[in-house]
Amino acid sequence: MRSHRTLQSLWALPFPVLALLACPLAIAAATGCCSSALANDARNAANERPSGQFTLGERPFVASSSWNTPLASNATFEEIDWPMGARFGVAWSSYSPAIHVSSASDPVVSVEHPASWGLPAGTLKIRIPADADGAPGTDGELLVIDGDTVHNFWQFKRLSPEAATARSYAATNLVTGDGWGRRSPFLGAGIVAAGSSQLAGLLVQAETDRGDISHALQIAVDMAYAKPGRVGEAINGDGVNPDGLVQEGERLAIPSSVAMPRGLSPLGQKVFRAYQVYGAFVIDVAGGVTNLRAQANAYDRMTIVALQQDLARISPLLQRVGQPSKGNP
């Protein structure tokens, strides 16, 4: 549910002390799980899909989703007083999920998971490639696309070719869903702190290779800057600093009047343009750095190193979008 990073390295990022933070099971207890019948209906709704196969690289979720809606032409902006020492980067080799697409040749894996995000405890049977496992780092995230459904696991651990466990699980439809969770009855679309799908706003190589990014990006904000509570379409939040700068669910962006810095890498240029056209939603916290996330089983080290350098220049330009985004009260 959370992705925490320390300041030491982009490639090997040890887990900091997290006594202040609760695990996804606490989310279920705090929000109250749906009744068994309702939760089973929710599970079935997540797994049912129209016939067809979502192709990785397509833009996920309905066109009307706020993830896919450009900033309004009359949007207003409020500067964020990012501290001079604030760090910005990208999570890739740890604390960011790999994406695996199920195929008929993959083994059927029984994934046991407890009650969380509005779903009851149970065992999900799904085809998962034999080499798929949770990401390096304590969060152990994993995304599996099966047809038109994206399954999101937290602390996924492969026990054998046909068995695995996860400490938290949620799923949503890539064609009919909007990428966000539901407040009432409570139901997560994914395992990040805001309850959104971890695919929403993730940098996906098959997509960025096609051209510009045509949706908002996701940001895990340094926990030192995360306020308690949530706004917008977030159904949960795990910020703990009352003097923080942003809340989960907020939309940030770079105003169109800001010139693109010179010398950005090709991917950095695409991120900059996405920040200006669509912005980014704060959906999680991280330790000591404010991060984008990039698909772990894609891209190459040179591309990510260049993007890391770009984001140190780009991300401090982000401002709070003053005009309420879709779903705000």
Side-chain angles (χ1 to χ4, degrees):
M1 177 181 128
R2 300 172 179 80
S3 294
H4 304 286
R5 300 158 185 82
T6 65
L7 304 181
Q8 298 181 22
S9 169
L10 176 67
W11 316 121
L13 296 165
F15 200 71
V17 177
L18 298 175
L20 293 175
L21 302 175
C23 74
L25 300 182
I27 296 296
T31 56
C33 192
C34 301
S35 69
S36 178
L38 180 59
N40 283 322
D41 288 344
R43 181 196 299 279
N44 292 336
N47 289 324
E48 289 176 359
R49 58 185 180 273
S51 60
Q53 175 75 40
F54 175 83
T55 301
L56 189 63
E58 296 175 354
R59 184 173 74 171
F61 310 119
V62 293
S64 59
S65 168
S66 55
W67 288 101
N68 297 332
T69 304
L71 296 166
S73 60
N74 61 344
T76 59
F77 298 89
E78 178 185 348
E79 290 189 4
I80 299 172
D81 294 327
W82 298 109
M84 289 293 295
R87 295 175 62 96
F88 301 91
V90 56
W92 172 62
S93 63
S94 61
Y95 295 102
S96 191
I99 304 173
H100 293 274
V101 179
S102 296
S103 72
S105 61
D106 294 327
V108 175
V109 182
S110 297
V111 186
E112 294 187 10
H113 62 85
S116 62
W117 292 111
L119 292 174
T123 299
L124 176 73
K125 292 184 180 296
I126 181 174
R127 291 190 181 276
I128 303 178
D131 62 343
D133 207 346
T138 306
D139 285 358
E141 310 99 321
L142 179 67
L143 290 170
V144 178
I145 294 174
D146 181 19
D148 290 336
T149 299
V150 57
H151 300 268
N152 205 166
F153 302 97
W154 186 80
Q155 290 193 347
F156 181 94
K157 184 176 181 180
R158 195 73 173 252
L159 303 177
S160 73
E162 298 179 347
T165 60
R167 292 288 304 280
S168 186
Y169 163 74
T172 194
N173 192 282
L174 289 161
V175 176
T176 62
D178 64 7
W180 292 101
R182 186 177 66 201
R183 292 182 185 176
S184 181
F186 185 81
L187 184 66
I191 53 79
V192 300
S196 55
S197 172
Q198 198 166 29
L199 184 63
L202 184 71
L203 290 175
V204 177
Q205 183 172 2
E207 185 179 7
T208 56
D209 281 354
R210 286 186 173 189
D212 274 353
I213 300 165
S214 57
H215 55 75
L217 297 172
Q218 60 166 273
I219 286 183
V221 68
D222 185 335
M223 67 178 72
Y225 310 142
K227 294 180 182 178
R230 45 95 174 134
V231 296
E233 293 168 280
I235 63 171
N236 183 74
D238 62 353
V240 296
N241 183 3
D243 298 319
L245 300 176
V246 297
Q247 284 181 301
E248 281 154 334
E250 281 191 324
R251 194 173 199 167
L252 311 182
I254 298 176
S256 60
S257 59
V258 176
M260 179 186 291
R262 294 183 178 181
L264 298 180
S265 69
L267 184 54
Q269 293 177 40
K270 293 178 182 183
V271 168
F272 183 88
R273 288 192 289 268
Y275 273 164
Q276 287 196 318
V277 177
Y278 294 94
F281 288 101
V282 179
I283 50 78
D284 217 333
V285 299
V289 61
T290 293
N291 270 335
L292 291 182
R293 292 191 180 115
Q295 178 187 353
N297 59 337
Y299 298 106
D300 58 70
R301 187 175 296 263
M302 185 178 298
T303 297
I304 296 298
V305 168
L307 179 61
Q308 172 81 0
Q309 295 170 346
D310 294 339
L311 291 172
R313 303 166 61 197
I314 297 171
S315 297
L317 303 174
L318 288 166
Q319 299 183 23
R320 181 178 295 103
V321 178
Q323 181 175 316
S325 59
K326 173 187 172 185
N328 278 4

